[in-house]
Amino acid sequence: MADEALFQFLHNELIQYVYKSSEHGEMENGRCITKLENMGFRVGQGLIERFTRDTARFKDELDVMKFVCKDFWTCVFKKQIDNLRTNHQGIYVLQDNKFRLLTQLSAGKQYLEHAPKYLAFTCGLVRGGLANLGVKSIVTAEVSVMPACKFQVMIQKM
Amino acid sequence: MTVHNLYIFDRNGTCLHYSEWNRKKQAGISKEEEYKLMYGMLFSIRSFVSKMSPLDMKDGFLAFQTSRYKLHYYETPTGVKVVMNTDLGVPNCRDVLHQIYSTLYVEYIVKNPLCPLGETLQSELFNSRLESFIRALPFFSARAG
């Protein structure tokens, strides 16, 4: 894998670009987040194809989530998810205490309002990965104290 | 043995950061004037050193010292200048300044998309990491030597 600084710089520029190319206005925030999430979705789909080339089929949904937390996260962010919680009814919470894309921003409350922009792409990444594994979901993220953040995955039953 | 203060300038002369730990005497002029004075002096000394050097210049201006303090200077190829005033007991600390640049400035400012380059540094993370780095230096002690 190439140097992670490359992806970080590119990701930062991507976010600046999406925000600059939209018209000015507070309503645009949601549209930009959606754009970033959709980009992440497509990337996640491709990445998961590559990473699961040689692995066996997954037994169930929980197995899929464990794969995302361990192998997928390690391949993309060089570390595992720190905590996985579920209510066994289709909601999973993935907690990362030191999210790689947020460590350089701040170590507490500064810049908190900008944090969601930097999580949108990763939400899409997770959603795309799960979609290609046959799991339809909605992924959201929240952050209260940087660099820790939580990704919430809601499985959509057909 | 102690560190008195630290300045970081960018290529255009803007003072990006200043902190002091043990400064007994102020310059008597406003902060902006002080930064301009420091930057102007560094600029002149660098060109003086390169012009008057009797041999081929390798690193150029490194440090100057007076009977009370020593000023250490480090410049990166991108024009970021790190200047540190310490007392006389401190040996050459070019690698310390280089570390400040690479592990603090690059990590927490360059990689932070919310910190525009060329403006005074606002990141609290950078400030706190810099504080702990300086305090952890072997030649730093809270009381002036």
Side-chain angles (χ1 to χ4, degrees), chain A residues 87-100:
Chain A
N87 67 355
H88 292 290
Q89 283 175 23
I91 303 212
Y92 297 85
V93 178
L94 284 69
Q95 186 164 340
D96 190 337
N97 290 331
K98 216 171 169 250
F99 189 54
R100 277 307 235 269

Side-chain angles (χ1 to χ4, degrees), chain A residues 7-17 101 105 118, chain B residues 110-113:
Chain A
F7 170 65
Q8 271 197 309
F9 282 130
L10 187 63
H11 179 248
N12 295 337
E13 266 319 295
L14 185 65
I15 294 175
Q16 303 279 50
Y17 173 73
L101 301 174
L105 255 71
Y118 295 88
Chain B
V110 175
K111 285 194 181 171
N112 186 344

Side-chain angles (χ1 to χ4, degrees), chain A residues 53-117:
Chain A
R53 246 185 336 199
D54 304 311
T55 44
R57 288 181 79 98
F58 295 107
K59 287 198 309 276
D60 59 9
E61 214 173 75
L62 187 59
D63 225 23
V64 171
M65 292 310 298
K66 283 201 246 180
F67 174 80
V68 167
C69 294
K70 290 213 261 253
D71 302 305
F72 188 65
W73 221 256
T74 317
C75 292
V76 181
F77 299 111
K78 310 275 186 307
K79 68 183 283 288
Q80 294 186 2
I81 285 277
D82 296 305
N83 201 342
L84 170 68
R85 283 203 291 268
T86 174
N87 67 355
H88 292 290
Q89 283 175 23
I91 303 212
Y92 297 85
V93 178
L94 284 69
Q95 186 164 340
D96 190 337
N97 290 331
K98 216 171 169 250
F99 189 54
R100 277 307 235 269
L101 301 174
L102 289 180
T103 35
Q104 273 86 11
L105 255 71
S106 95
K109 302 281 186 182
Q110 199 190 18
Y111 299 131
L112 196 61
E113 63 278 3
H114 296 284
K117 298 186 211 171

Side-chain angles (χ1 to χ4, degrees), chain B residues 19-132:
Chain B
S19 6
E20 63 183 34
W21 291 273
N22 263 324
R23 188 174 182 173
K24 296 279 176 54
K25 175 184 157 308
Q26 297 297 324
I29 49 179
S30 77
K31 275 284 176 265
E32 284 75 37
E33 287 184 33
E34 185 181 314
Y35 301 149
K36 276 198 262 195
L37 183 64
M38 173 66 84
Y39 187 79
M41 182 278 291
L42 290 171
F43 189 81
S44 316
I45 268 203
R46 268 179 47 233
S47 68
F48 173 83
V49 158
S50 69
K51 280 208 184 77
M52 303 298 276
S53 168
L55 306 163
D56 285 327
M57 204 174 78
K58 200 157 154 273
D59 289 320
F61 175 59
L62 296 178
F64 75 64
Q65 81 181 49
T66 74
S67 48
R68 298 303 303 275
Y69 73 93
K70 189 168 175 183
L71 178 144
H72 304 262
Y73 174 76
Y74 176 72
E75 183 181 353
T76 72
T78 54
V80 173
K81 302 169 175 53
V82 186
V83 181
M84 184 154 77
N85 285 328
T86 68
D87 76 348
L88 296 173
V90 177
N92 189 344
C93 64
R94 236 171 121 67
D95 45 343
V96 170
L97 298 182
H98 176 71
Q99 251 190 302
I100 292 184
Y101 174 71
S102 61
T103 56
L104 295 175
Y105 180 78
V106 169
E107 277 301 312
Y108 296 112
I109 301 295
V110 175
K111 285 194 181 171
N112 186 344
L114 298 165
C115 281
L117 300 178
E119 286 180 16
T120 3
L121 305 176
Q122 305 283 4
S123 168
E124 290 160 11
L125 182 58
F126 174 76
N127 286 337
S128 60
R129 289 270 193 268
L130 182 65
E131 273 291 315
S132 34

